[in-house]
Amino acid sequence: MDSPAVPAPLDPREQPILDRLLRTRDALLLIKQDKTSYIKSREVLPLYEEVISEVEQLNAVRKEKDRRLPHNRLDYVLDDCFQLISLLFLTVGRNNEAPAVYSLASTVQRLLDHLQEAGFYSSKDLSSITKTLANMRATLERCRYAYSPALLTLLESRLEKCQLLLEKLQSGLAQLSPELVSTYETLVSILRSTSAVNTRSKFSASEVNSLRDQLQKIQDTLVDGKFVGPDGQPLPGHDHAKILLERCWLWTEKVLEREGKIDERFQEQYERLVEIRNQLDRLSVTQAWSLRETDLFGYQRKLDRIDEARVNGNFVDAEGQTADIHAQRTLLYLIRRSYGYIYALLISSEPVSEALLPVHNQLQTLKRCLLEVKESGGVANSRELYPYSMKLNSIDNMRVDGKFYVGSDIPEGQGSVNALLAECYDIVWELRAAVPEEDDRN
């Protein structure tokens, strides 16, 4: 799990802290790996307290040190512990509490770093992250007096870094003329679509050529090599758009030339990243029924280690030689795509314990079906609502004193599941109320 290049702690006072954190991490991993029963808050909270205790001791040790010192093994193990605790909080349905923020904040920072490195991104990339950062800050503010100041300080520092980087990226897009925004976002989409074709199991030259046709249409709008407005003057930001257009041409040409084949020196890394990307893609499709948030830890760590193994931003082979432009961009695309999947899975996590997810998912499906019936014009008679009513009643009958029990436990997420149940009842009532009156007389 730990990179061999990570140094051990230099300060002997840090070694006992590392030893204790290693034991805590092992305990967290055991909880994560146990699929025989659902995870409970009472299993996670004592381990969270252990980690916080070690953080406070570590802060005391490092109080007078230079904070710019490189991370050692202790920092990486501590990060593992916080990542696991964060994902465990999500798994038990405590999404709106401070520890749950850690994993998402780490993923957002990775995404922003990669967007800055790529240099080309769309407003859609930033709008979701803007909303997510606001939600995370609201969570920290709400939990200010419920959790350790050591945790809150750590999370606030991370969110501040994300905010500064986000504002820097937003200022880059702000230089574009409004007339150029649509074209620019199309170019970003073409660049990414080309990379997607480049990493498919079966390469399709026709798809790349279709993307090049789109590029030609954009190229044809240039006047004397410039993006110009109605007055014939170059639009603000046209240089940036022109560079992106040229990059798209060069990348589609390179991809057609290589036909999806990567430099054999990086074949192993490529296959590992393709497998991670594909597994996360499958998870995103079946998420509601198969995702246990703690499962994301393994993907995060594999990606982090591959990402951190780069030298000055470049992938290098066993002999220290850098990758060519095709391998470099292909591997980076796969890493970024995978982080994007993890981000999407994290933000769509429901504040419901995994113990209640089967009921929650059934109600979500039932709600979707009822809304489709409503949008298609309702029902012809009340008998058509019997299957929905019977299913709702069967779920409702699972409650005891208004609560869903699993054994003797009352899992987190009761409010969310009860609210969903009430919504379904309301839709059924609306549909029944809209049945023609003559049906009632029959």
Side-chain angles (χ1 to χ4, degrees), residues 180-205:
L180 260 184
V181 169
S182 177
T183 299
Y184 190 85
E185 298 203 344
T186 299
L187 289 170
V188 171
S189 176
I190 290 172
L191 196 64
R192 291 176 180 173
S193 297
T194 305
S195 294
V197 176
N198 181 50
T199 56
R200 291 210 189 111
S201 56
K202 187 175 181 181
F203 180 76
S204 171

Side-chain angles (χ1 to χ4, degrees), residues 96 120 124 129 242 367 412:
N96 300 319
F120 300 105
K124 293 176 185 176
I129 291 176
K242 182 74 181 299
K367 179 183 172 183
E412 280 86 353

Side-chain angles (χ1 to χ4, degrees), residues 34-53:
D34 182 7
K35 300 295 179 72
T36 60
S37 63
Y38 75 91
I39 297 169
K40 305 169 187 67
S41 289
R42 63 174 179 270
E43 298 171 328
V44 181
L45 291 174
L47 295 172
Y48 160 75
E49 295 294 346
E50 285 180 22
V51 173
I52 289 299
S53 175

Side-chain angles (χ1 to χ4, degrees), residues 89-90 93-101 138-140 142-143 147 351 416:
F89 264 68
L90 291 173
R94 302 179 75 151
N95 301 40
N96 300 319
E97 299 183 33
V101 168
T139 297
L140 296 191
R142 191 171 54 252
C143 299
Y147 286 93
S416 296

Side-chain angles (χ1 to χ4, degrees), residues 109-126:
Q109 189 166 347
R110 292 271 181 184
L111 282 175
L112 290 170
D113 285 339
H114 276 286
L115 288 176
Q116 182 183 41
E117 181 183 30
F120 300 105
Y121 44 88
S122 71
S123 58
K124 293 176 185 176
D125 296 325
L126 304 186

Side-chain angles (χ1 to χ4, degrees), residues 265-266 315-323:
R265 295 177 300 151
F266 298 93
F315 292 94
V316 295
D317 63 15
E319 297 177 358
Q321 299 299 310
T322 59

Side-chain angles (χ1 to χ4, degrees), residues 192-250:
R192 291 176 180 173
S193 297
T194 305
S195 294
V197 176
N198 181 50
T199 56
R200 291 210 189 111
S201 56
K202 187 175 181 181
F203 180 76
S204 171
S206 62
E207 284 189 63
V208 180
N209 284 320
S210 176
L211 293 168
R212 285 173 69 86
D213 290 341
Q214 292 183 48
L215 289 178
Q216 188 60 55
K217 290 178 182 176
I218 294 173
Q219 184 81 39
D220 292 342
T221 66
L222 299 182
V223 177
D224 296 329
K226 298 181 177 65
F227 290 98
V228 300
D231 59 358
Q233 295 301 309
L235 293 167
H238 83 94
D239 287 338
H240 202 41
K242 182 74 181 299
I243 292 170
L244 180 52
L245 175 60
E246 291 169 356
R247 181 170 173 176
C248 286
W249 278 119
L250 291 171

